[in-house]
Amino acid sequence: MQEEIRFATFNVCNLAPAGEKLYDNLEPLSPAQYEAKAQWTARQIDLLDADVIGFQEIFSQAALRDVLSRTRHYREAVLAGYDAVDASGRMLPTVALVSRLPLAGPGVAYANFPAGVTLPADGQGADADPCRFARAPLHVQLVLPGGQLTDVVVVHLKSRRPDYRPDDAGDALAYALANLRSLQRRGAEAVALRVLVSELGQSGRPRIVLGDFNDIANAVTTAIVMGAGAPCEAAGHLPEMRARLYDCNAIQLRQDYLRHVGYTNIHDSAYMTIDHILVSEHFHPASPRAIGAVLDVIYLNDHLLLGLPPASDHGQVVARIKLLGNIH
C-alpha cells in the first residue's frame, strides 16, 4: 500500500485560452504567451508531484486539460471542475481538482451559501450576490490508499482587492469602505465555508480544505474556516479536536523555526502565506483518531522573486502526509 500521500494547492493566475478577454484592465494572452504559460504551468505541476492538486483561477477546464496533456505525470489523472460565465458570456475564474488517486464520485460545486448565511447589506458591492460564493468551492470524495473515503474541498475566497462602487469618489473614505466591503464578503464566504465543512464532518470522514484563502493563517477569516475556538462537542478524550481543522504548516512533524521561508505571495514588498492546506484531526498526530500525520509542508516560490512572465503570482504549497503505521 502507498505509504505517503501528497496534497498541493496551486493558484495558476488566470489560465485561459489565447485571445479570451477576462478583465477590462487585462489584455488577452497571445498564442505565444499562452504557449509559454501552459508549458511553465505543466512543468510546475510535475515538480509538485502531488497525488492531489487543487487549482484556482481556472477560466477554462479545456485549457487545464491542455496543460495536463503537456505534463509527464498527470496525463492519466482525473480532473474535476466546472466552467462559469457572466451575463455577457465572459469567462469567470473557477477552481478545479486533479487527482492521481481514485474519486468516489463526481465533484460538486457549491454556488450558494448554506441557509442562514448571507452577506451584510452594507457589505454588498455593485455586483455582489449576498447569498452566493464569488467562486464556488468544489467538493470531491477521494479514495485514499487502503480505501478510506476522504472529503476534499478546493476553495478560493474573496481577494483583498478593494470592492469599489460605481459612484465612489476615490478619496480615502471611499478606499476604506471599499476595503471593508471586500473583507465583509471574504468573511461571509468564510462563514459559509465553515458551515459546509462542519456538515461534511458529521460523517466522521477525514476532511482536507485547500486553496487560496486570500489571508494569512492567523487572520479572523481563516480562523473561522478552521473553527478556532469551537466549543467541545461532548465529554471524552480531546473532543474539541473533532470540529476543528488544522493548518498543515502548524502541525507538521518536521518544524524548522530558525529557517522558515514559507510564503506564497508578495504584495507591496510584504511576504505573506495566503494559500493553505487545512486538515481534520485525522491527520493530526495528537488525535486518537489519526490515520496519518503531516510530515512537512513545502513551498515552491522561487519564481516569485525571478519575475518570470509566464509564471503564477502565487507560490505553491505541498503537504506530505505519512499514513498511520508508517510515521517515522
Side-chain angles (χ1 to χ4, degrees):
M1 187 181 77
Q2 184 176 345
E3 297 182 350
E4 180 185 300
I5 50 177
R6 296 186 180 193
F7 290 86
T9 181
F10 188 171
N11 183 323
V12 298
C13 186
N14 301 334
L15 180 62
E20 287 289 343
K21 186 69 173 177
L22 306 180
Y23 300 110
D24 291 338
N25 62 346
L26 183 67
E27 289 299 316
L29 292 176
S30 69
Q33 288 173 325
Y34 171 79
E35 181 68 19
K37 184 173 185 62
Q39 292 288 6
W40 181 88
T41 305
R43 288 195 299 270
Q44 202 73 358
I45 290 173
D46 276 331
L47 187 60
L48 290 171
D49 197 22
D51 298 288
V52 180
I53 307 176
F55 292 90
Q56 301 85 44
E57 295 196 21
I58 302 296
F59 283 81
S60 165
Q61 297 298 315
L64 181 53
R65 290 189 187 95
D66 176 54
V67 168
L68 294 175
S69 73
R70 300 164 185 255
T71 65
R72 292 181 292 113
H73 304 307
Y74 293 86
R75 295 177 184 177
E76 304 300 323
V78 181
L79 169 61
Y82 62 95
D83 285 323
V85 296
D86 64 14
S88 67
R90 181 178 290 185
M91 291 179 171
L92 294 174
T94 65
V95 302
L97 178 139
V98 170
S99 177
R100 297 188 302 205
L101 298 177
L103 306 185
V108 177
Y110 291 93
N112 297 318
F113 288 170
V117 182
T118 185
L119 188 69
D122 57 350
Q124 296 180 36
D127 301 317
D129 188 322
C131 297
R132 290 175 64 89
F133 288 96
R135 293 165 289 238
L138 180 69
H139 168 224
V140 174
Q141 272 199 352
L142 190 74
V143 184
L144 296 185
Q148 173 67 61
L149 286 180
T150 298
D151 293 300
V152 180
V153 182
V154 185
V155 304
H156 188 182
L157 299 186
K158 173 68 176 72
S159 72
R160 295 187 175 196
R161 185 178 297 109
D163 190 358
Y164 286 105
R165 290 174 173 167
D167 57 349
D168 278 345
D171 57 10
L173 176 59
Y175 175 74
L177 291 175
N179 277 280
L180 176 60
R181 283 191 290 272
S182 179
L183 175 60
Q184 287 176 317
R185 170 157 286 280
R186 188 164 64 257
E189 290 185 342
V191 172
L193 181 58
R194 178 62 200 167
V195 174
L196 288 174
V197 172
S198 295
E199 291 175 349
L200 291 176
Q202 294 175 7
S203 69
R205 294 187 298 266
R207 292 162 293 162
I208 297 176
V209 181
L210 50 81
D212 180 357
F213 289 73
N214 267 306
D215 225 330
I216 62 174
N218 291 332
V220 172
T221 53
T222 314
I224 288 172
V225 178
M226 288 192 287
C232 296
E233 295 179 341
H237 183 58
L238 296 179
E240 69 277 7
M241 296 190 72
R242 296 186 178 183
R244 291 195 55 182
L245 296 174
Y246 300 88
D247 176 17
C248 281
N249 184 58
I251 65 170
Q252 61 181 307
L253 296 178
R254 296 175 182 171
Q255 294 278 5
D256 186 352
Y257 297 107
L258 297 179
R259 187 179 180 272
H260 183 50
V261 292
Y263 60 88
T264 66
N265 187 254
I266 304 175
H267 181 68
D268 289 341
S269 298
Y271 292 71
M272 299 181 295
T273 301
I274 61 176
D275 304 82
H276 309 291
I277 300 176
L278 311 180
V279 296
S280 61
E281 63 161 328
H282 302 82
F283 304 105
H284 195 305
S287 171
R289 299 202 300 169
I291 65 170
V294 180
L295 280 179
D296 53 27
V297 179
I298 303 165
Y299 297 86
L300 280 65
N301 51 25
D302 287 348
H303 57 278
L304 298 179
L305 299 176
L306 295 173
L308 306 174
S312 171
D313 58 351
H314 281 245
Q316 292 79 59
V317 186
V318 184
R320 297 197 307 137
I321 297 175
K322 204 75 169 178
L323 297 179
L324 193 63
N326 302 296
I327 301 175
H328 301 292

